[in-house]
């Protein structure tokens, strides 16, 4: 986003607008954090802003300031559709291809309004009028901070905005440890703490919220963990039956894929989670080092994401999906053993 585009956006935002902020399906901490941070900021400028998510988000995010105003497209479709059709501006956050917006895709694709994309995933599409894409960024939340900085409005970052931004940087960096965490990320975090963010409380609220059944489900995941030393690969599968037996709720499997990656010598980890309702197997991939799970997922499982963290899906059964995964590995043997 160059200075010309920034001054155009400043001009656009200088008079009150109807603004919709939307994000990807199955929104995570970065999606919800960035959307709500922008929501609070735009409201403070005098705009009418609404966050619309494609569907539900995890319970561990149901305390973030402003989350009670979020409209879920799948349960409040009519209201969401009319807001989208009346929007002067639509911000799309934490995704870069309209297909990631689930059931909202069709209506977004039809809209002729001004789109602004803010995102850090690989291979951005070109649907937006204004694109702020940076694959080197830790999170979309960090980009929201820099976006406000570019608009010379850092002094407008309230404790609520800072809290929303903190959540997404924290969750997308695995609490400031992934390679995308730079010294700038830490400086942004330091500024957020100076603004009043209660960092310890946020860590505890998001991560120390296990239920007994979630811990039991984690036990099942660990029991199902398989390691393929020849490919430095580990994977976990969870069936719908196992999820049901442990009263699975959205967000309960968050972070499970990292257990495989934490094994010494493993550079590639996957988790396959059956979703009978959608008739798919949802997959998460993680890697360390040079192996690109973005490319792997794009090539074989209709997905994508980042170099070291990506997602995808399969329409095969759970066992056939795992079988397909294992059958692909030999062609990556050299890459995985570099
Ligand atoms: P997760 O495995 O935590 O669901 O997602 C890891 C990363 O990959 C996130 O940045 C997420 O937005 C992205 N991602 C997850 N699922 C998909 C997918 O189906 N397609 C694409 N393009 N990206 C995905
Ligand atoms: Mn993100």
């Amino acid at each position: 986003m160059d200075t010309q585009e920034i001054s155009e956006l400043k001009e656009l935002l200088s008079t009150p607008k109807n603004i919709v902020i939307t994000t990807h399906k199955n929104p995570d901490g970065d999606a919800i954090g960035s959307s709500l941070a922008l929501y609070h900021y735009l409201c403070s400028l005098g705009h009418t802003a609404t966050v619309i998510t494609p569907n539900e988000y995890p319970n561990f995010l149901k305390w973030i300031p402003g989350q009670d105003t979020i409209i879920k497209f799948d349960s409040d479709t009519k209201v969401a559709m009319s807001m989208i059709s009346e929007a002067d501006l639509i911000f799309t956050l934490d995704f870069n291809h309209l297909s990631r917006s689930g059931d909202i895709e069709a209506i977004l694709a039809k809209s002729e309004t001004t789109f602004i994309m803010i995102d850090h995933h690989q291979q951005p599409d070109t649907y937006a009028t204004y694109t702020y894409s940076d694959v080197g960024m830790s999170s979309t939340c960090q980009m929201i901070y820099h976006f406000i900085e570019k608009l010379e409005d850092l002094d407008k970052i309230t404790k609520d905005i800072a809290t929303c931004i903190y959540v997404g940087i924290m969750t997308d960096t695995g609490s400031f440890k992934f390679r995308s965490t730079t010294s700038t990320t830490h400086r942004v975090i330091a500024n957020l703490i100076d603004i009043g963010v209660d960092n310890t409380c946020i860590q505890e609220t998001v991560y120390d919220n296990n239920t007994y059944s979630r811990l039991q489900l984690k036990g099942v995941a660990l029991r199902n963990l398989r390691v393929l030393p020849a490919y430095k690969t580990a994977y976990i599968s969870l069936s719908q039956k196992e999820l049901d037996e442990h009263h699975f709720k959205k967000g309960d499997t968050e972070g499970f894929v990292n257990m495989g990656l934490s094994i010494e010598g493993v550079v590639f980890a996957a988790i396959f989670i059956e979703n009978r309702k959608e008739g798919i197997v949802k997959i998460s991939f993680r890697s360390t080092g040079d192996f690109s799970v973005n490319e792997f997922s794009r090539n074989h499982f209709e997905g994508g994401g980042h170099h070291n963290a990506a997602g995808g899906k399969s329409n095969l059964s759970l066992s056939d999906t795992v079988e397909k995964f294992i059958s692909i590995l030999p062609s990556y043997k050299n890459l995985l053993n570099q």
Side-chain angles (χ1 to χ4, degrees), residues 1 20 207 221 234 268 274 320 335:
M1 191 163 272
V20 163
Y207 293 122
F268 181 29
E274 188 176 26
D320 286 353
L335 270 181

Side-chain angles (χ1 to χ4, degrees), residues 239-241 243-244 273-281:
S239 67
Q240 187 67 63
K241 184 164 173 283
L243 298 170
D244 292 345
I273 301 173
E274 188 176 26
N275 184 332
R276 281 252 172 86
K277 196 167 148 221
E278 292 191 23
I280 60 161
V281 175

Side-chain angles (χ1 to χ4, degrees), residues 52-260:
I52 301 176
T53 59
N55 62 341
E56 185 61 286
Y57 50 93
N59 282 337
F60 63 78
L61 300 173
K62 292 202 171 155
W63 59 272
I64 303 181
Q67 64 88 23
D68 51 322
T69 68
I70 292 177
I71 291 180
K72 289 164 215 130
F73 188 86
D74 63 352
S75 56
D76 222 344
T77 312
K78 266 202 176 140
V79 175
M81 297 226 323
S82 85
M83 283 179 156
I84 292 170
S85 65
E86 282 161 23
D88 303 312
L89 294 174
I90 299 180
F91 281 86
T92 65
L93 305 186
D94 202 37
F95 72 92
N96 63 20
H97 201 284
L98 290 183
S99 62
R100 290 279 291 134
S101 60
D103 292 340
I104 314 185
E105 178 181 4
I107 175 161
L108 290 180
K110 260 193 272 162
S111 169
E112 282 171 8
T113 196
T114 302
F115 280 80
I116 302 151
M117 178 209 297
I118 304 180
D119 178 67
H120 66 136
H121 292 91
Q122 308 235 346
Q123 287 127 311
D125 200 3
T126 54
Y127 63 82
T129 325
Y130 297 93
T131 297
Y132 176 25
S133 161
D134 187 342
V135 299
M137 281 280 171
S138 69
S139 53
T140 301
C141 272
Q142 188 180 333
M143 298 177 74
I144 293 293
Y145 183 96
H146 295 311
F147 181 66
I148 296 174
E149 190 174 35
K150 285 174 199 286
L151 296 171
E152 298 173 300
D153 270 342
L154 280 186
D155 59 336
K156 293 204 171 71
I157 297 190
T158 59
K159 183 178 171 185
D160 279 353
I161 297 176
T163 299
C164 296
I165 294 177
Y166 186 97
V167 170
I169 300 181
M170 177 187 86
T171 53
D172 258 30
T173 59
S175 291
F176 323 113
K177 72 174 179 226
F178 297 156
R179 206 163 292 283
S180 58
T181 313
T182 62
S183 58
T184 305
T185 311
H186 282 287
R187 272 189 283 274
V188 168
I189 287 294
N191 292 342
L192 299 179
I193 293 172
D194 284 344
I195 289 166
V197 160
D198 190 339
N199 51 320
T200 307
C201 176
I202 294 177
Q203 296 270 357
E204 286 171 1
T205 310
V206 172
Y207 293 122
D208 299 342
N209 56 7
N210 272 313
T211 56
Y212 178 75
S213 56
R214 184 192 184 239
L215 278 183
Q216 294 294 108
L217 183 64
K218 200 172 193 172
V220 175
L222 279 173
R223 219 170 40 232
N224 293 352
L225 173 67
R226 298 284 177 276
V227 183
L228 304 168
Y231 306 110
K232 299 191 173 178
T233 294
Y235 68 91
I236 291 169
S237 63
L238 285 171
S239 67
Q240 187 67 63
K241 184 164 173 283
E242 289 166 326
L243 298 170
D244 292 345
E245 279 167 3
H246 297 87
H247 317 293
F248 168 79
K249 288 185 304 302
K250 207 169 253 307
D252 279 355
T253 55
E254 198 79 28
F256 282 12
V257 64
N258 293 311
M259 298 192 295

Side-chain angles (χ1 to χ4, degrees), residues 282 296-304 311-315 324:
K282 185 67 196 153
F296 186 89
S297 187
R298 233 166 244 278
N299 290 338
H300 305 288
F301 292 101
E302 299 171 46
K313 66 176 192 312
S314 155
N315 299 311
K324 172 179 167 181

Side-chain angles (χ1 to χ4, degrees), residues 24 94 100 121 282-286 302-306 309-312:
H24 59 79
D94 202 37
R100 290 279 291 134
H121 292 91
K282 185 67 196 153
I283 314 169
S284 287
F285 296 109
R286 298 290 185 272
E302 299 171 46
H306 307 290

